[in-house]
Amino acid sequence: MSRPSAPPHPSSPIDQWPDARGYFGEFGGQFVPEILRPALTELETTFNRLRTDPDFEQEFRQELRTYAGRPTPLYFARNLTRYYGKARIYLKREDLLHTGAHKINNTIGQILLARAMGKQRIIAETGAGQHGVATATVAARFGMDCCIYMGAEDMERQFPNVQRMRMLGAKVRAVHSGTRTLKDATSEALRDWLTHVATTHYIIGSVVGPHPFPLIVRYFQKVIGEEVQEQLKALGHPSPSFLIACVGGGSNAMGLFYPFLSSPDVQMIGVEAGGLGVHTPHHAATLSRGRPGIFHGMKTYLLQTADGQIQLPHSISAGLDYPGVGPEHSFLKEQKRVTYTQVTDQEALQAAFRLARLEGIIPALESAHALAYLDRLLPTTHPDQIVVVNLSGRGDKDMSTYIQYLENQGGEKAP
Ligand SMILES: *Cc1c(COP(=O)(O)O)cnc(C)c1O
């Protein structure tokens, strides 16, 4: 998608990654039991065939348009722009999609792949329940059996999403082992896949896991950045100066960034969850504070203890509470093509209230991390520059956290 005027990034032909073995530089790969390799190869072969098939492309686009609600608006945030008095701020409104976030782009794409492979059963793991709901939704839409693995602890914390999945006809299996959270649900889902691989497709929810998942999820999410390119062009703006997105596993960020990677004049910032602060152990700032290791079938940056155990992440936002990150982000960090930083729980909460009060939009807590970075970036910008923030999801699911914050603030925290 590079424009003729934009030469490739000088230090690396980034569009070529991953290589044939699924590596982004030294990151990625396929760290799985031998028995899963045929399933990953079948997935890769099917994906490579369908990505050049115009009928598949047309069906995917049609589902995005008529079922998910694409294209999403690129909204000029006039009041937020006036508040900072610097660069023009645009919001990419992924919060307006069916099921309330960008995750539906990927689940639609992957269920079409599952159908093409003749699979009739879908499994997934979920932490906060958002990916579980997006998966149960498309399983209902395409008439497939669906089983979602979820930590027992998470099921208690996110009960409304458990109810949604059940209403959509999915089975929700409680995982009682380990810390009873996402990490343990992921192990159970992998175990299920090992036993039922002939009939079952495992829908991974972000640009993580063994090759080819990071490549496939990027492919289905890049519609976000492609629309931003077209929408800015239609407004007479050739190129944004800054793109900002939150990073959990990294799929909404990859989706926004990917079409711009070969444009050296576009700066990109990935914002991780700083939790209670990166000087404490209570954060999820994987790229800022982690070290490379192997987890969830891939080599990537991980939060780990001194002896190499996975360190339990913390974030006020359940969707960012993941100890790893997509391998392509690890690569883009080392290439210095994308800047990774983090904001705290407090900063994210303040940014959410600012957007609500100034623009009448209640963002997801994950997206509020991207918005919070405006506080640091905007003073350094000029009025002729454009900043695009990916508003990855809406805040309905976070209302109890927001209300609690409001009560602690005495009920009327100004923007
Ligand atoms: C799941 C989720 C995220 C984090 O996932 P990524 O793969 O990093 O995009 C971010 N925002 C929202 C609204 C989510 O639901």
Side-chain angles (χ1 to χ4, degrees):
M1 290 301 293
S2 63
R3 291 179 298 276
S5 59
H9 191 252
S11 67
S12 65
I14 271 162
D15 284 350
Q16 293 176 8
W17 307 99
D19 66 18
R21 290 156 50 246
Y23 279 87
F24 303 86
E26 65 167 301
F27 301 105
Q30 221 174 52
F31 295 86
V32 295
E34 271 315 308
I35 188 171
L36 279 183
R37 260 181 224 280
L40 294 172
T41 305
E42 180 191 21
L43 180 59
E44 188 178 4
T45 310
T46 308
F47 172 66
N48 282 333
R49 175 165 57 80
L50 292 181
R51 74 195 295 192
T52 55
D53 176 346
D55 291 343
F56 179 81
E57 180 68 16
Q58 202 196 341
E59 185 173 14
F60 177 53
R61 297 285 155 177
Q62 161 127 348
E63 289 295 320
L64 290 182
R65 200 168 54 243
T66 62
Y67 188 66
R70 302 210 73 91
T72 59
L74 183 69
Y75 167 69
F76 174 51
R78 189 180 305 277
N79 297 333
L80 199 59
T81 297
R82 202 174 286 145
Y83 171 80
Y84 288 107
K86 296 279 191 171
R88 293 168 73 84
I89 301 167
Y90 286 85
L91 306 177
K92 183 58 174 163
R93 298 290 310 274
E94 296 295 293
D95 61 314
L96 294 176
L97 288 171
H98 183 38
T99 70
H102 67 291
K103 287 189 170 75
I104 193 85
N105 303 327
N106 169 51
T107 55
I108 288 175
Q110 283 201 49
I111 204 150
L112 293 175
L113 284 181
R115 194 188 58 187
M117 291 185 290
K119 312 268 162 128
Q120 280 133 26
R121 181 170 175 266
I122 296 297
I123 57 169
E125 88 287 335
T126 195
Q130 295 300 110
H131 174 56
V133 169
T135 301
T137 297
V138 296
R141 161 81 184 81
F142 287 88
M144 295 204 198
D145 284 342
C146 181
C147 177
I148 305 291
Y149 288 89
M150 192 167 183
E153 177 84 26
D154 287 337
M155 283 179 71
E156 277 168 38
R157 287 192 294 200
Q158 310 288 341
F159 198 62
N161 276 338
V162 175
Q163 292 171 313
R164 283 186 190 105
M165 289 183 264
R166 288 189 173 141
M167 177 155 181
L168 290 160
K171 282 191 208 69
V172 184
R173 292 247 170 92
V175 177
H176 293 279
S177 55
T179 54
R180 310 162 83 226
T181 60
L182 179 64
K183 181 160 77 67
D184 315 289
T186 303
S187 312
E188 277 309 308
L190 268 173
R191 202 161 302 153
D192 179 314
W193 205 29
L194 281 169
T195 354
H196 303 104
V197 69
T199 58
T200 300
H201 177 60
Y202 179 12
I203 298 192
I204 288 187
S206 189
V207 286
V208 300
H211 177 69
F213 281 104
L215 167 66
I216 288 176
V217 178
R218 181 186 77 190
Y219 182 82
F220 292 134
Q221 292 291 1
K222 74 178 163 60
V223 60
I224 301 172
E226 288 169 352
E227 283 178 9
V228 169
Q229 280 183 320
E230 285 168 26
Q231 288 166 324
L232 284 178
K233 206 177 283 175
L235 290 168
H237 301 307
S239 180
S241 298
F242 301 95
L243 304 175
I244 309 176
C246 65
V247 177
S251 68
N252 86 88
M254 233 31 255
L256 176 65
F257 296 168
Y258 183 70
F260 294 94
L261 281 178
S262 55
S263 306
D265 44 338
V266 182
Q267 293 189 52
M268 304 176 198
I269 301 113
V271 186
E272 296 189 304
L276 302 181
V278 288
H279 53 279
T280 76
H282 310 291
H283 62 78
T286 312
L287 287 163
S288 310
R289 288 299 163 123
R291 283 180 289 126
I294 289 164
F295 171 67
H296 206 164
M298 61 182 165
K299 180 173 179 194
T300 192
Y301 273 72
L302 300 174
L303 288 177
Q304 39 190 317
T305 58
D307 57 353
Q309 301 292 313
I310 294 294
Q311 183 182 311
L312 218 55
H314 162 83
S315 170
I316 192 168
S317 137
L320 301 183
D321 209 346
Y322 179 67
V325 67
E328 189 165 12
H329 287 290
S330 296
F331 175 66
L332 292 170
K333 169 191 162 75
E334 298 217 332
Q335 294 285 309
K336 299 191 166 57
R337 179 64 189 93
V338 177
T339 304
Y340 295 92
T341 182
Q342 73 280 320
V343 304
T344 63
D345 290 350
Q346 280 300 314
E347 290 173 300
L349 283 165
Q350 284 165 12
F353 275 83
R354 182 175 305 130
L355 191 73
R357 301 284 165 91
L358 288 180
E359 297 287 353
I361 300 171
I362 299 177
L365 260 168
E366 292 85 358
S367 322
H369 284 71
L371 292 163
Y373 185 70
L374 292 172
D375 261 8
R376 267 179 257 163
L377 177 68
L378 264 281
T380 71
T381 60
H382 307 289
D384 56 347
Q385 291 180 311
I386 304 267
V387 178
V388 177
V389 182
N390 205 10
L391 205 65
S392 55
R394 58 178 171 246
D396 311 29
K397 66 187 179 57
D398 300 311
M399 282 317 297
S400 62
T401 310
Y402 288 150
I403 294 302
Q404 199 179 352
Y405 175 75
L406 198 60
E407 283 169 0
N408 294 343
Q409 297 295 317
E412 50 189 332
K413 173 93 176 130

mmCIF file of all heavy atoms in Angstrom, residues 245-247 250 253-254 257 261 268-272 286-288 325-342 373:
data_model
loop_
_atom_site.group_PDB
_atom_site.id
_atom_site.type_symbol
_atom_site.label_atom_id
_atom_site.label_comp_id
_atom_site.label_asym_id
_atom_site.label_seq_id
_atom_site.Cartn_x
_atom_site.Cartn_y
_atom_site.Cartn_z
ATOM 1 N N ALA A 245 -1.766 3.960 19.074
ATOM 2 C CA ALA A 245 -2.679 2.861 19.411
ATOM 3 C C ALA A 245 -2.207 2.198 20.693
ATOM 4 O O ALA A 245 -1.008 2.188 20.996
ATOM 5 C CB ALA A 245 -2.717 1.831 18.284
ATOM 6 N N CYS A 246 -3.149 1.625 21.447
ATOM 7 C CA CYS A 246 -2.777 0.845 22.625
ATOM 8 C C CYS A 246 -2.288 -0.531 22.176
ATOM 9 O O CYS A 246 -2.632 -1.001 21.095
ATOM 10 C CB CYS A 246 -3.954 0.729 23.590
ATOM 11 S SG CYS A 246 -5.362 -0.202 22.950
ATOM 12 N N VAL A 247 -1.465 -1.154 23.019
ATOM 13 C CA VAL A 247 -0.909 -2.475 22.692
ATOM 14 C C VAL A 247 -1.152 -3.437 23.846
ATOM 15 O O VAL A 247 -0.606 -3.255 24.943
ATOM 16 C CB VAL A 247 0.612 -2.377 22.417
ATOM 17 C CG1 VAL A 247 1.190 -3.771 22.157
ATOM 18 C CG2 VAL A 247 0.889 -1.467 21.229
ATOM 19 N N GLY A 250 -1.504 -6.611 20.550
ATOM 20 C CA GLY A 250 -1.011 -5.727 19.494
ATOM 21 C C GLY A 250 -1.783 -5.730 18.184
ATOM 22 O O GLY A 250 -1.287 -5.235 17.179
ATOM 23 N N ALA A 253 -3.189 -2.100 17.056
ATOM 24 C CA ALA A 253 -2.026 -1.284 16.672
ATOM 25 C C ALA A 253 -1.468 -1.748 15.325
ATOM 26 O O ALA A 253 -1.230 -0.933 14.423
ATOM 27 C CB ALA A 253 -0.949 -1.360 17.755
ATOM 28 N N MET A 254 -1.289 -3.053 15.149
ATOM 29 C CA MET A 254 -0.765 -3.582 13.879
ATOM 30 C C MET A 254 -1.691 -3.215 12.733
ATOM 31 O O MET A 254 -1.255 -2.858 11.645
ATOM 32 C CB MET A 254 -0.650 -5.101 13.991
ATOM 33 C CG MET A 254 0.665 -5.739 13.657
ATOM 34 S SD MET A 254 2.159 -4.857 13.936
ATOM 35 C CE MET A 254 2.551 -4.433 12.257
ATOM 36 N N PHE A 257 -1.121 0.480 12.014
ATOM 37 C CA PHE A 257 0.240 0.835 11.584
ATOM 38 C C PHE A 257 0.629 0.226 10.237
ATOM 39 O O PHE A 257 1.326 0.868 9.445
ATOM 40 C CB PHE A 257 1.282 0.345 12.610
ATOM 41 C CG PHE A 257 1.198 0.988 13.982
ATOM 42 C CD1 PHE A 257 1.919 0.439 15.063
ATOM 43 C CD2 PHE A 257 0.433 2.125 14.210
ATOM 44 C CE1 PHE A 257 1.864 1.012 16.334
ATOM 45 C CE2 PHE A 257 0.370 2.702 15.483
ATOM 46 C CZ PHE A 257 1.092 2.133 16.541
ATOM 47 N N LEU A 261 3.748 1.467 7.317
ATOM 48 C CA LEU A 261 5.117 1.131 7.752
ATOM 49 C C LEU A 261 6.189 1.601 6.775
ATOM 50 O O LEU A 261 7.285 1.972 7.186
ATOM 51 C CB LEU A 261 5.258 -0.390 7.972
ATOM 52 C CG LEU A 261 4.705 -0.928 9.287
ATOM 53 C CD1 LEU A 261 4.871 -2.436 9.347
ATOM 54 C CD2 LEU A 261 5.379 -0.262 10.483
ATOM 55 N N MET A 268 4.971 6.364 14.598
ATOM 56 C CA MET A 268 3.975 5.502 15.228
ATOM 57 C C MET A 268 4.345 5.254 16.688
ATOM 58 O O MET A 268 5.509 5.035 16.995
ATOM 59 C CB MET A 268 3.920 4.169 14.495
ATOM 60 C CG MET A 268 3.632 4.379 13.023
ATOM 61 S SD MET A 268 3.672 2.859 12.104
ATOM 62 C CE MET A 268 3.855 3.571 10.463
ATOM 63 N N ILE A 269 3.309 5.281 17.525
ATOM 64 C CA ILE A 269 3.536 5.084 18.954
ATOM 65 C C ILE A 269 2.585 4.010 19.474
ATOM 66 O O ILE A 269 1.366 4.122 19.329
ATOM 67 C CB ILE A 269 3.321 6.388 19.752
ATOM 68 C CG1 ILE A 269 4.282 7.475 19.249
ATOM 69 C CG2 ILE A 269 3.548 6.163 21.243
ATOM 70 C CD1 ILE A 269 3.626 8.613 18.567
ATOM 71 N N GLY A 270 3.139 2.969 20.066
ATOM 72 C CA GLY A 270 2.358 1.908 20.704
ATOM 73 C C GLY A 270 2.373 2.132 22.204
ATOM 74 O O GLY A 270 3.441 2.269 22.803
ATOM 75 N N VAL A 271 1.198 2.197 22.819
ATOM 76 C CA VAL A 271 1.105 2.519 24.245
ATOM 77 C C VAL A 271 0.701 1.278 25.037
ATOM 78 O O VAL A 271 -0.374 0.723 24.835
ATOM 79 C CB VAL A 271 0.085 3.657 24.485
ATOM 80 C CG1 VAL A 271 0.100 4.075 25.955
ATOM 81 C CG2 VAL A 271 0.371 4.852 23.579
ATOM 82 N N GLU A 272 1.582 0.844 25.921
ATOM 83 C CA GLU A 272 1.296 -0.317 26.763
ATOM 84 C C GLU A 272 0.737 0.134 28.106
ATOM 85 O O GLU A 272 0.759 1.322 28.448
ATOM 86 C CB GLU A 272 2.584 -1.119 26.988
ATOM 87 C CG GLU A 272 3.131 -1.709 25.706
ATOM 88 C CD GLU A 272 4.277 -2.680 25.964
ATOM 89 O OE1 GLU A 272 5.270 -2.289 26.599
ATOM 90 O OE2 GLU A 272 4.173 -3.838 25.531
ATOM 91 N N THR A 286 5.129 -4.925 28.475
ATOM 92 C CA THR A 286 5.965 -6.021 27.999
ATOM 93 C C THR A 286 7.173 -5.550 27.204
ATOM 94 O O THR A 286 8.288 -6.028 27.414
ATOM 95 C CB THR A 286 5.109 -6.951 27.117
ATOM 96 O OG1 THR A 286 3.892 -7.240 27.795
ATOM 97 C CG2 THR A 286 5.841 -8.238 26.810
ATOM 98 N N LEU A 287 6.964 -4.625 26.280
ATOM 99 C CA LEU A 287 8.071 -4.200 25.418
ATOM 100 C C LEU A 287 9.034 -3.273 26.149
ATOM 101 O O LEU A 287 10.231 -3.277 25.876
ATOM 102 C CB LEU A 287 7.528 -3.519 24.158
ATOM 103 C CG LEU A 287 6.889 -4.502 23.168
ATOM 104 C CD1 LEU A 287 6.015 -3.770 22.156
ATOM 105 C CD2 LEU A 287 7.949 -5.336 22.455
ATOM 106 N N SER A 288 8.511 -2.486 27.087
ATOM 107 C CA SER A 288 9.382 -1.572 27.827
ATOM 108 C C SER A 288 10.177 -2.317 28.889
ATOM 109 O O SER A 288 11.325 -1.995 29.158
ATOM 110 C CB SER A 288 8.563 -0.477 28.518
ATOM 111 O OG SER A 288 7.683 0.113 27.602
ATOM 112 N N VAL A 325 3.451 -10.218 23.803
ATOM 113 C CA VAL A 325 3.074 -9.222 22.796
ATOM 114 C C VAL A 325 3.369 -9.853 21.440
ATOM 115 O O VAL A 325 4.210 -10.762 21.348
ATOM 116 C CB VAL A 325 3.864 -7.909 23.008
ATOM 117 C CG1 VAL A 325 5.353 -8.101 22.731
ATOM 118 C CG2 VAL A 325 3.332 -6.766 22.162
ATOM 119 N N GLY A 326 2.674 -9.425 20.398
ATOM 120 C CA GLY A 326 2.906 -9.981 19.072
ATOM 121 C C GLY A 326 4.363 -9.856 18.659
ATOM 122 O O GLY A 326 5.000 -8.831 18.914
ATOM 123 N N PRO A 327 4.928 -10.903 18.005
ATOM 124 C CA PRO A 327 6.352 -10.892 17.647
ATOM 125 C C PRO A 327 6.731 -9.761 16.693
ATOM 126 O O PRO A 327 7.863 -9.275 16.737
ATOM 127 C CB PRO A 327 6.568 -12.262 16.980
ATOM 128 C CG PRO A 327 5.207 -12.735 16.579
ATOM 129 C CD PRO A 327 4.254 -12.147 17.582
ATOM 130 N N GLU A 328 5.787 -9.317 15.865
ATOM 131 C CA GLU A 328 6.115 -8.225 14.939
ATOM 132 C C GLU A 328 6.389 -6.929 15.704
ATOM 133 O O GLU A 328 7.223 -6.122 15.298
ATOM 134 C CB GLU A 328 4.977 -8.031 13.924
ATOM 135 C CG GLU A 328 5.363 -7.055 12.812
ATOM 136 C CD GLU A 328 4.434 -7.110 11.603
ATOM 137 O OE1 GLU A 328 3.364 -7.738 11.689
ATOM 138 O OE2 GLU A 328 4.799 -6.513 10.567
ATOM 139 N N HIS A 329 5.699 -6.747 16.830
ATOM 140 C CA HIS A 329 5.974 -5.555 17.647
ATOM 141 C C HIS A 329 7.383 -5.631 18.255
ATOM 142 O O HIS A 329 8.074 -4.612 18.345
ATOM 143 C CB HIS A 329 4.922 -5.398 18.745
ATOM 144 C CG HIS A 329 3.590 -4.932 18.241
ATOM 145 N ND1 HIS A 329 3.389 -3.654 17.759
ATOM 146 C CD2 HIS A 329 2.399 -5.563 18.130
ATOM 147 C CE1 HIS A 329 2.117 -3.519 17.386
ATOM 148 N NE2 HIS A 329 1.495 -4.675 17.591
ATOM 149 N N SER A 330 7.786 -6.842 18.680
ATOM 150 C CA SER A 330 9.150 -6.990 19.209
ATOM 151 C C SER A 330 10.168 -6.592 18.145
ATOM 152 O O SER A 330 11.169 -5.924 18.425
ATOM 153 C CB SER A 330 9.394 -8.447 19.633
ATOM 154 O OG SER A 330 8.529 -8.800 20.692
ATOM 155 N N PHE A 331 9.880 -6.999 16.913
ATOM 156 C CA PHE A 331 10.747 -6.682 15.777
ATOM 157 C C PHE A 331 10.744 -5.178 15.493
ATOM 158 O O PHE A 331 11.810 -4.558 15.345
ATOM 159 C CB PHE A 331 10.243 -7.469 14.561
ATOM 160 C CG PHE A 331 10.947 -7.178 13.277
ATOM 161 C CD1 PHE A 331 12.291 -7.501 13.102
ATOM 162 C CD2 PHE A 331 10.260 -6.599 12.214
ATOM 163 C CE1 PHE A 331 12.932 -7.245 11.895
ATOM 164 C CE2 PHE A 331 10.901 -6.340 11.005
ATOM 165 C CZ PHE A 331 12.237 -6.657 10.849
ATOM 166 N N LEU A 332 9.572 -4.571 15.452
ATOM 167 C CA LEU A 332 9.473 -3.136 15.138
ATOM 168 C C LEU A 332 10.115 -2.291 16.235
ATOM 169 O O LEU A 332 10.634 -1.202 15.971
ATOM 170 C CB LEU A 332 8.001 -2.739 14.946
ATOM 171 C CG LEU A 332 7.332 -3.343 13.705
ATOM 172 C CD1 LEU A 332 5.816 -3.092 13.726
ATOM 173 C CD2 LEU A 332 7.940 -2.776 12.420
ATOM 174 N N LYS A 333 10.094 -2.794 17.460
ATOM 175 C CA LYS A 333 10.792 -2.106 18.558
ATOM 176 C C LYS A 333 12.296 -2.142 18.308
ATOM 177 O O LYS A 333 12.966 -1.115 18.378
ATOM 178 C CB LYS A 333 10.475 -2.785 19.891
ATOM 179 C CG LYS A 333 11.339 -2.318 21.056
ATOM 180 C CD LYS A 333 11.141 -3.230 22.268
ATOM 181 C CE LYS A 333 12.266 -3.099 23.283
ATOM 182 N NZ LYS A 333 12.182 -1.861 24.068
ATOM 183 N N GLU A 334 12.829 -3.324 17.981
ATOM 184 C CA GLU A 334 14.285 -3.428 17.789
ATOM 185 C C GLU A 334 14.742 -2.675 16.539
ATOM 186 O O GLU A 334 15.847 -2.147 16.510
ATOM 187 C CB GLU A 334 14.705 -4.897 17.754
ATOM 188 C CG GLU A 334 14.379 -5.560 19.090
ATOM 189 C CD GLU A 334 15.394 -6.574 19.569
ATOM 190 O OE1 GLU A 334 16.081 -7.183 18.733
ATOM 191 O OE2 GLU A 334 15.474 -6.749 20.801
ATOM 192 N N GLN A 335 13.865 -2.624 15.517
ATOM 193 C CA GLN A 335 14.150 -1.845 14.305
ATOM 194 C C GLN A 335 14.018 -0.337 14.551
ATOM 195 O O GLN A 335 14.311 0.454 13.665
ATOM 196 C CB GLN A 335 13.173 -2.222 13.192
ATOM 197 C CG GLN A 335 13.315 -3.638 12.674
ATOM 198 C CD GLN A 335 14.519 -3.795 11.785
ATOM 199 O OE1 GLN A 335 14.715 -3.039 10.847
ATOM 200 N NE2 GLN A 335 15.354 -4.765 12.089
ATOM 201 N N LYS A 336 13.458 0.028 15.720
ATOM 202 C CA LYS A 336 13.156 1.419 16.046
ATOM 203 C C LYS A 336 12.199 2.068 15.041
ATOM 204 O O LYS A 336 12.207 3.275 14.839
ATOM 205 C CB LYS A 336 14.447 2.250 16.165
ATOM 206 C CG LYS A 336 15.376 1.745 17.266
ATOM 207 C CD LYS A 336 16.497 2.763 17.506
ATOM 208 C CE LYS A 336 17.257 2.523 18.791
ATOM 209 N NZ LYS A 336 17.866 1.192 18.908
ATOM 210 N N ARG A 337 11.368 1.262 14.396
ATOM 211 C CA ARG A 337 10.386 1.819 13.459
ATOM 212 C C ARG A 337 9.172 2.351 14.212
ATOM 213 O O ARG A 337 8.505 3.275 13.772
ATOM 214 C CB ARG A 337 9.949 0.751 12.438
ATOM 215 C CG ARG A 337 8.897 1.247 11.440
ATOM 216 C CD ARG A 337 9.459 2.366 10.580
ATOM 217 N NE ARG A 337 8.468 3.032 9.738
ATOM 218 C CZ ARG A 337 7.790 4.124 10.082
ATOM 219 N NH1 ARG A 337 7.954 4.666 11.286
ATOM 220 N NH2 ARG A 337 6.946 4.683 9.238
ATOM 221 N N VAL A 338 8.839 1.695 15.350
ATOM 222 C CA VAL A 338 7.721 2.133 16.186
ATOM 223 C C VAL A 338 8.278 2.442 17.575
ATOM 224 O O VAL A 338 9.188 1.755 18.049
ATOM 225 C CB VAL A 338 6.636 1.037 16.283
ATOM 226 C CG1 VAL A 338 5.503 1.451 17.214
ATOM 227 C CG2 VAL A 338 6.080 0.683 14.907
ATOM 228 N N THR A 339 7.761 3.504 18.201
ATOM 229 C CA THR A 339 8.151 3.834 19.568
ATOM 230 C C THR A 339 7.144 3.218 20.527
ATOM 231 O O THR A 339 5.938 3.369 20.334
ATOM 232 C CB THR A 339 8.134 5.371 19.766
ATOM 233 O OG1 THR A 339 8.976 5.946 18.784
ATOM 234 C CG2 THR A 339 8.612 5.752 21.153
ATOM 235 N N TYR A 340 7.632 2.491 21.520
ATOM 236 C CA TYR A 340 6.728 1.906 22.519
ATOM 237 C C TYR A 340 6.922 2.603 23.854
ATOM 238 O O TYR A 340 8.050 2.860 24.276
ATOM 239 C CB TYR A 340 6.961 0.400 22.631
ATOM 240 C CG TYR A 340 6.596 -0.307 21.338
ATOM 241 C CD1 TYR A 340 7.562 -0.524 20.353
ATOM 242 C CD2 TYR A 340 5.287 -0.686 21.084
ATOM 243 C CE1 TYR A 340 7.218 -1.123 19.145
ATOM 244 C CE2 TYR A 340 4.938 -1.284 19.884
ATOM 245 C CZ TYR A 340 5.903 -1.506 18.920
ATOM 246 O OH TYR A 340 5.559 -2.088 17.728
ATOM 247 N N THR A 341 5.804 2.923 24.473
ATOM 248 C CA THR A 341 5.839 3.624 25.742
ATOM 249 C C THR A 341 4.685 3.103 26.590
ATOM 250 O O THR A 341 4.019 2.153 26.196
ATOM 251 C CB THR A 341 5.740 5.151 25.494
ATOM 252 O OG1 THR A 341 5.827 5.830 26.736
ATOM 253 C CG2 THR A 341 4.421 5.527 24.824
ATOM 254 N N GLN A 342 4.481 3.689 27.762
ATOM 255 C CA GLN A 342 3.359 3.225 28.573
ATOM 256 C C GLN A 342 2.766 4.371 29.374
ATOM 257 O O GLN A 342 3.427 5.372 29.616
ATOM 258 C CB GLN A 342 3.775 2.092 29.514
ATOM 259 C CG GLN A 342 4.620 2.499 30.699
ATOM 260 C CD GLN A 342 6.079 2.689 30.327
ATOM 261 O OE1 GLN A 342 6.614 1.920 29.544
ATOM 262 N NE2 GLN A 342 6.714 3.705 30.873
ATOM 263 N N TYR A 373 -1.748 9.222 26.023
ATOM 264 C CA TYR A 373 -0.439 9.614 25.497
ATOM 265 C C TYR A 373 -0.490 10.989 24.823
ATOM 266 O O TYR A 373 0.549 11.656 24.683
ATOM 267 C CB TYR A 373 0.094 8.548 24.526
ATOM 268 C CG TYR A 373 1.487 8.858 24.068
ATOM 269 C CD1 TYR A 373 2.572 8.771 24.948
ATOM 270 C CD2 TYR A 373 1.733 9.300 22.774
ATOM 271 C CE1 TYR A 373 3.848 9.103 24.549
ATOM 272 C CE2 TYR A 373 3.010 9.637 22.355
ATOM 273 C CZ TYR A 373 4.065 9.534 23.247
ATOM 274 O OH TYR A 373 5.330 9.872 22.853
#
